[in-house]
Amino acid sequence: MKVSESWLREWVNPEWDTNTLAEELSLAGLEVDGIEPVAPAFTHVVVAKVISVEKHPDADKLNVTQVDIGADEPVQIVCGAKNVVAGMKACCATVGAVLPGDFKIKKAKLRGVPSNGMLCGASELGLPDDGVDGLHVLPDDAPVGMDLREYLDLNDQVIDVDLTPNRADCLSIAGVARDVAAIGNVPFKQPFENITVDKSGDCSQSIEVVDAHGCPKYLGCLVEGYDTTAKTPLWMKQRIERAGISPKNLTVDITNYVMLELGQPMHAFDADKLQGTIQVRMAHPDEKLMTLDEKELALKADTLVIADEKGPVALAGIMGGLHSAVSDTTTRLFFECAHFAPLSIIGKARQYGLHTDSSHRFERGVDAFLPEKALERALQLFTEIAGGQVSNVVSAINDLNLHQPKAIQLRPERIAKLLGVEIADNDVEAIFKRLHFKVEKNASGWALTAPSYRFDMEIEADLIEEVGRVFGYNNLPETEVQAPMRLPTLPESEQELYLVRKALVNRGFHEVVTYSFVEEKLQQNMMPDIPYLCLQNPISDDMKAMRTTLFPGLLQTISYNQKRQQNRIRIFESGLVFTRYHDKTQQTPVIGGAIVGDLNPANWSGENRPVDFYDLKGDVETLLAMSHVQDKVRFEPAEFAIFHPGQSAALILNGQTVGLMGQLHPGLVKSTGVSGKVFLFQMDLATIMETKVPAAKPISKFPEVQRDLAFVVDEALPVQKLLDAIESVQSDILKAVEIFDIYQGEGIEETQKSIALTLKIQHQDRTLQDEEVDQLIEQVIVKAKEQVKAELR
C-alpha cells in the first residue's frame, strides 16, 4: 500500500517528521518498506503563462517567447519545445533556479537572442512522464507566479507500507490514519463531512442477488445528465498516481480514488449497454467474458460473476467486462458498490491469471458496512465535478450473511502474562477506545467488541497484540525469562537429522531449501508413475503441483548457479514429498542431493576429473554407514524416467525400494536448464534415522585366516549378486568378504569377467583347523556356482 503523506496528514497529523512517522508505523506492525519523494529537489520553478510566441530569427527550431512569471514585467525566454503556444500555462525555471542534476539556470544568449530562464518539460524536473513531447502543460486555472512545488504538492513523500494479510483494514488512507491516530494519541479527522447526495426518482436498473453467501450486499444507482466532457481534477490524478494507479477517465478515477481513500472497491457500468436485470450469481458452464484488459476468459462454475440477461458483464470483485465499460460516449452510468465474501473471491483472480487492486482487497476482506458510505462519497465527488442527476439507490442486502463482530473477553492478568508488564486498566481502556472498540467493563476484565472493519479480531490473544503494539513494543520492559530447562529424551537408537546434514556438509555439500510447489509438466516428466496433488489456489502456474521428489528444486538450484558461472556444485536438501494413493495424501520425509562438475575444486596440481556415478554412490554410502545399514542396503540396477539408462540404481532394503540415484537423463538436461552430467540421489529419511546401538564384543585372540578366490562370471552380472551368494553360506567364522580386483582381458572370454575376493576367516574362541577352512571355502565355491554360475578361476 503506497500512502501519500500529505493525503494522510489531512486525516491525521501527528507532530512527527516523515522518518518518525515511518518508524512508528513499522513498530505498530505496519512495516514501512521505503520512503520516496514524489519529485527530486529543485528550486525557483514557478507557474508561468506564455504571452506570445515568435520564431527565432536565426534558428528554425527555436522560438522567442514572452512569459508572465508573476513579476512586474514579462521575461523573454528562448524555447525549443514543439508544443509551446501563446496562452498556455507551463513550468518556468527562473534565473537562479537549480534543477535536478545540479543544473543551474543563468541568463544566456541563444543564437544572439537573450534568454532569461527556461520553460521545462516533465523529464527536466524529474516528474513522471506525462507522454508529452515538449513542455509540461499545467491546467488553465493554475495561479501564475506560484511556486511549482507548492502548486503540485511536490514536497510530498510516498510511504510504502507492507501489510500482513490480516490487516486489510489498512488498505486505505482512512485505515492507516486510524492506526496512526491510535498510536500517536492524536485526533482522527475525516476531511469531508457526513455526506448525502441529493437523489430523485427510482433506479430503472433492477438487480437480483442469486448467491447471497458470496454477495450479501449489493448497492447501485443511476447517474445521468452529467457533463460528459468533465476531466479528472489535477489533485485527484496526483493522489491516485502516487498510490501506483494510472489515471484513466473521470468515472474510473473516482472509483479508484474512493477505493484508495476508504478501502471499498467499486465499479461503474455504461448503463445503456446493460440488458435487463443485473444478477450476482455463479457462472454458467461455457460462459465467456472479455475483460477490460481485452483478455477472453472461459469461466468456471465456481466463479462469482455480475451478469445481465445476455451473460456476464464482470468478474465479481475482480474486474469489469469490456462490453459494458465506460467510454467517452457514455451518457448514463450505473454505479455499483458491493460486499463480497472473501471465500468467494480468494484465488479466483490468480486462477484466470489476473491480479487487481479490487481482488487484493476482497480476498483479504472489506468492511461489510462500508459500501453505503463509499457509494455516497463517489456520488459526491462525481456530481461536484461533472454534475448530473442521481437516482435513488437500489439494494439487495442479506443481513444473516454479513460479518457481525462479537464480544471478546480480555483479562488484565492475561495481558501481564503475555506482555510481561502490568498496564493500568485506564490505559487499556483508552487504547481500545482510540481503536474504536466498544468497551464494556466486567468482573473479570472487559468485554470488547471490535469495529466492523477489524474482522481479524477473533480471540483474546488478538486483543493483547493490539495492546502491545499501541502501548509500544519499545516501552515493554526487558524481563529475564525463567523457565524449567528439561532436555527431551532421545533414544540411543535414534539418529539426529543435524548429524546427517553435517555429514554431507563435511563431504563438501551445501544445504538448500526449495519450494514444495513445482511445475506440473516438469514433475510429470521426472516421475510419471507417481500420483501427485495439484493446488486449487497456486501462487503461479509454475508452482502448481506438490512435489513428489526433491529433484525439481535441486535442478532449479543447479541451473540458477550454473548461470552465474558456478560450475562445481554439490547440494542437498531434506524435506517432505507428497503423494496421493487411494484418496489418501502421504507426506514422506526424504533427503536428496546432486553433484555436477569436477570432483575437486581447482588446485595447483591440475589433477582433477568430472564426477561420476560412483562418486555419488560413495556419498550415499556415507549416510548409510552412519546408521549401520550399509551392509543391508542393496544397490540394484533399475530404470527410472529421470535417469540415464544404465546409469541408475534403486536402493533396496528388506525387499523395499527406499531410494534411487543416477545420472540425469539427457532428454531432461535442456528442459531443466542445467548443463553437464548431473548425478542425483534421493532416499527415505526413515532408512537412516534409526541407528544400531553399539554393543561391546570381545576381540578374538586367535589368528585370522585369509583366503583369496577369483571367480569368472558373466560380464553383465552385478558384483553384489556374487557377494549375496557368498553371504548366504551359513557360517560363524566367515567375518568379511572384500573385493580387491576385477579383471577382463587375456585369458578371460570377452563375455566374462574375473572378480577377485579376499575372505577373512576367524573363530572367536579357538584356532581354526585347515579342514574347517577348506570346508568353508568349498561351501563358498558351491554357492557361487549354484546361484550365479561362477567358476573358480
Side-chain angles (χ1 to χ4, degrees):
M1 175 71 185
K2 292 185 176 180
V3 178
S4 163
E5 183 182 359
S6 63
W7 192 4
L8 178 66
R9 287 187 183 275
E10 286 187 7
W11 290 74
V12 60
N13 192 16
E15 294 181 357
W16 297 331
D17 61 19
T18 304
N19 290 330
T20 304
L21 174 61
E23 182 180 359
E24 292 294 336
L25 284 171
S26 293
L27 290 174
L30 309 182
E31 184 178 356
V32 174
D33 280 349
I35 304 171
E36 293 185 4
V38 299
F42 59 80
T43 61
H44 295 90
V45 179
V46 299
V47 176
K49 181 178 181 179
V50 179
I51 300 173
S52 65
V53 179
E54 297 178 358
K55 282 293 181 184
H56 192 290
D58 297 321
D60 294 338
K61 295 183 178 181
L62 295 179
N63 296 298
V64 180
T65 65
Q66 297 298 319
V67 180
D68 181 4
I69 59 171
D72 295 336
E73 296 181 357
V75 295
Q76 179 174 285
I77 297 176
V78 178
C79 176
K82 297 178 182 179
N83 65 334
V84 61
V85 293
M88 72 180 297
K89 296 285 184 71
C91 310
C92 180
T94 59
V95 173
V98 180
L99 301 186
D102 199 29
F103 181 66
K104 298 178 181 179
I105 304 300
K106 302 177 182 178
K107 291 182 179 181
K109 285 188 177 181
L110 297 178
R111 295 286 183 93
V113 176
S115 181
N116 301 308
M118 185 176 78
L119 295 173
C120 303
S123 59
E124 292 162 325
L125 298 174
L127 300 179
D129 185 10
D130 55 3
V132 176
D133 183 14
L135 303 181
H136 183 57
V137 182
L138 298 176
D140 292 338
D141 60 355
V144 173
M146 185 175 185
D147 185 275
L148 187 71
R149 298 194 71 90
E150 182 182 351
Y151 175 65
L152 295 180
D153 191 21
L154 298 182
N155 295 319
D156 190 13
Q157 308 278 338
V158 174
I159 303 173
D160 190 357
V161 182
D162 185 12
L163 298 173
T164 52
N166 66 307
R167 291 309 307 272
D169 63 294
C170 288
L171 284 168
S172 65
I173 294 293
V176 176
R178 282 191 296 259
D179 252 32
V180 172
I183 298 162
N185 195 14
V186 292
F188 172 79
K189 49 185 180 180
Q190 183 172 279
F192 51 90
E193 300 297 329
N194 293 329
I195 46 173
T196 302
V197 176
D198 291 336
K199 304 178 185 67
S200 62
D202 294 334
C203 179
S204 60
Q205 179 61 60
S206 58
I207 64 171
E208 178 185 4
V209 175
V210 178
D211 190 336
H213 290 282
C215 178
K217 179 180 289 188
Y218 191 90
L219 311 175
C221 68
L222 285 170
V223 180
E224 53 191 347
Y226 59 89
D227 180 4
T228 58
T229 64
K231 303 297 181 183
T232 306
L234 179 62
W235 61 268
M236 184 178 291
K237 282 185 177 180
Q238 289 176 338
R239 287 183 171 181
I240 61 178
E241 280 179 336
R242 291 171 190 180
I245 298 177
S246 300
K248 303 292 184 185
N249 55 55
L250 177 62
T251 306
V252 175
D253 292 345
I254 284 177
T255 59
N256 283 333
Y257 183 86
V258 173
M259 177 186 69
L260 294 170
E261 184 178 55
L262 300 179
Q264 173 67 51
M266 299 177 61
H267 188 65
F269 296 102
D270 185 330
D272 292 326
K273 295 177 182 178
L274 298 175
Q275 303 295 317
T277 301
I278 283 183
Q279 286 189 336
V280 186
R281 59 171 173 81
M282 288 296 179
H284 295 158
D286 302 323
E287 281 190 320
K288 293 184 178 181
L289 173 67
M290 182 72 74
T291 55
L292 288 171
D293 58 357
E294 299 185 2
K295 179 189 287 187
E296 186 175 59
L297 305 179
L299 303 179
K300 299 182 180 180
D302 62 348
T303 303
L304 191 66
V305 299
I306 313 297
D308 62 10
E309 291 182 356
K310 285 193 172 183
V313 294
L315 285 178
I318 300 174
M319 184 180 287
L322 186 63
H323 170 71
S324 59
V326 175
S327 66
D328 293 338
T329 60
T330 300
T331 58
R332 295 175 67 244
L333 294 170
F334 179 72
F335 278 98
E336 70 159 20
C337 193
H339 176 73
F340 299 108
L343 290 178
S344 66
I345 306 298
I346 287 176
K348 297 301 184 295
R350 194 177 296 116
Q351 180 176 311
Y352 294 106
L354 302 172
H355 179 77
T356 64
D357 293 294
S358 177
S359 67
H360 184 75
R361 285 162 172 79
F362 279 124
E363 285 181 344
R364 287 155 177 77
V366 178
D367 182 1
F369 299 93
L370 186 57
E372 291 86 350
K373 180 178 180 180
L375 181 59
E376 289 292 334
R377 175 61 168 158
L379 293 172
Q380 177 205 26
L381 291 169
F382 189 87
T383 53
E384 285 180 354
I385 298 168
Q389 295 80 47
V390 181
S391 75
N392 287 313
V393 174
V394 60
S395 63
I397 302 174
N398 188 312
D399 292 327
L400 295 178
N401 291 319
L402 293 175
H403 173 75
Q404 299 290 344
K406 296 180 180 179
I408 306 171
Q409 183 65 37
L410 177 63
R411 298 163 291 174
E413 63 271 16
R414 191 64 179 165
I415 296 176
K417 182 174 180 60
L418 292 185
L419 296 183
V421 61
E422 292 186 3
I423 300 176
D425 289 359
N426 291 338
D427 292 337
V428 173
E429 292 178 10
I431 286 172
F432 283 105
K433 287 177 180 177
R434 299 206 302 267
L435 290 169
H436 304 286
F437 280 64
K438 180 181 178 182
V439 181
E440 294 183 4
K441 184 78 173 175
N442 56 35
S444 57
W446 303 271
L448 299 171
T449 304
S452 58
Y453 51 82
R454 290 304 303 272
F455 34 80
D456 58 317
M457 295 290 104
E458 296 287 345
I459 58 177
E460 186 179 26
D462 295 330
L463 300 175
I464 296 173
E465 181 183 3
E466 294 299 295
V467 174
R469 70 185 192 87
V470 176
F471 181 78
Y473 293 124
N474 286 348
N475 297 324
L476 298 179
E478 294 183 5
T479 306
E480 292 185 4
V481 176
Q482 296 181 353
M485 303 297 290
R486 297 187 182 92
L487 295 176
T489 302
L490 182 68
E492 194 174 357
S493 61
E494 183 178 326
Q495 183 101 271
E496 293 189 77
L497 182 57
Y498 90 92
L499 293 176
V500 176
R501 299 202 301 260
K502 186 176 180 181
L504 286 173
V505 170
N506 290 339
R507 291 184 67 85
F509 282 75
H510 291 85
E511 186 173 12
V512 299
V513 179
T514 65
Y515 284 108
S516 298
F517 322 120
V518 300
E519 185 181 355
E520 184 177 9
K521 184 178 180 181
L522 180 62
Q523 179 143 285
Q524 289 174 341
N525 292 338
M526 289 187 175
M527 295 292 178
D529 300 327
I530 300 181
Y532 59 88
L533 289 164
C534 278
L535 300 177
Q536 293 183 352
N537 183 25
I539 297 173
S540 62
D541 284 341
D542 59 350
M543 300 181 73
K544 184 177 181 180
M546 298 291 288
R547 66 186 181 189
T548 58
T549 171
L550 300 177
F551 294 151
L554 293 172
L555 290 171
Q556 287 173 356
T557 305
I558 289 174
S559 174
Y560 181 89
N561 282 270
Q562 286 181 333
K563 289 174 181 176
R564 287 154 181 81
Q565 293 78 48
Q566 301 299 315
N567 298 319
R568 182 182 180 274
I569 301 168
R570 303 172 72 87
I571 57 174
F572 77 95
E573 179 177 10
S574 60
L576 296 173
V577 295
F578 308 86
T579 52
R580 183 80 170 171
Y581 290 105
H582 307 297
D583 296 328
K584 291 185 178 180
T585 303
Q586 298 179 2
Q587 302 182 73
T588 308
V590 298
I591 189 167
I595 60 174
V596 63
D598 291 336
L599 177 62
N600 299 307
N603 59 81
W604 61 269
S605 69
E607 297 180 3
N608 215 336
R609 63 171 177 81
V611 294
D612 59 25
F613 178 90
Y614 294 100
D615 294 319
L616 184 65
K617 185 171 182 285
D619 296 325
V620 174
E621 287 176 335
T622 297
L623 299 182
L624 297 175
M626 292 181 65
S627 59
H628 306 286
V629 294
Q630 184 175 358
D631 57 341
K632 298 179 182 178
V633 173
R634 300 287 181 262
F635 292 81
E636 295 187 0
E639 298 293 331
F640 299 97
I642 189 175
F643 292 139
H644 191 301
Q647 288 279 329
S648 60
L651 280 64
I652 308 297
L653 177 63
N654 300 327
Q656 300 291 324
T657 300
V658 295
L660 64 161
M661 61 173 292
Q663 180 188 336
L664 181 66
H665 196 289
L668 291 173
V669 170
K670 185 175 181 180
S671 62
T672 54
V674 299
S675 60
K677 294 182 178 180
V678 182
F679 296 90
L680 306 114
F681 82 90
Q682 179 177 294
M683 179 169 48
D684 292 350
L685 267 175
T687 307
I688 55 175
M689 293 310 291
E690 185 173 346
T691 185
K692 185 178 180 180
V693 178
K697 186 177 181 180
I699 299 173
S700 177
K701 301 177 182 179
F702 301 96
E704 179 184 84
V705 178
Q706 292 189 8
R707 292 288 177 89
D708 294 342
L709 299 177
F711 291 99
V712 178
V713 297
D714 187 89
E715 181 184 18
L717 181 76
V719 175
Q720 188 65 53
K721 295 289 186 182
L722 177 60
L723 296 177
D724 290 343
I726 295 173
E727 289 179 2
S728 67
V729 175
Q730 301 295 324
S731 173
D732 59 353
I733 61 174
L734 181 59
K735 300 301 182 183
V737 181
E738 298 176 354
I739 304 168
F740 67 87
D741 187 41
I742 297 178
Y743 171 74
Q744 285 180 283
E746 187 178 351
I748 303 294
E749 294 184 15
E750 291 184 0
T751 60
Q752 293 183 320
K753 62 184 175 184
S754 171
I755 302 174
L757 309 169
T758 294
L759 277 63
K760 295 184 177 182
I761 308 167
Q762 188 180 38
H763 200 286
Q764 185 67 30
D765 301 322
R766 58 183 174 80
T767 302
L768 291 170
Q769 302 297 317
D770 288 343
E771 294 80 4
E772 293 177 285
V773 175
D774 292 341
Q775 183 180 3
L776 174 61
I777 297 300
E778 183 63 29
Q779 291 176 345
V780 168
I781 295 171
V782 171
K783 284 290 186 181
K785 185 173 184 178
E786 287 179 354
Q787 295 188 18
V788 297
K789 299 180 181 179
E791 296 289 344
L792 191 64
R793 182 177 171 188

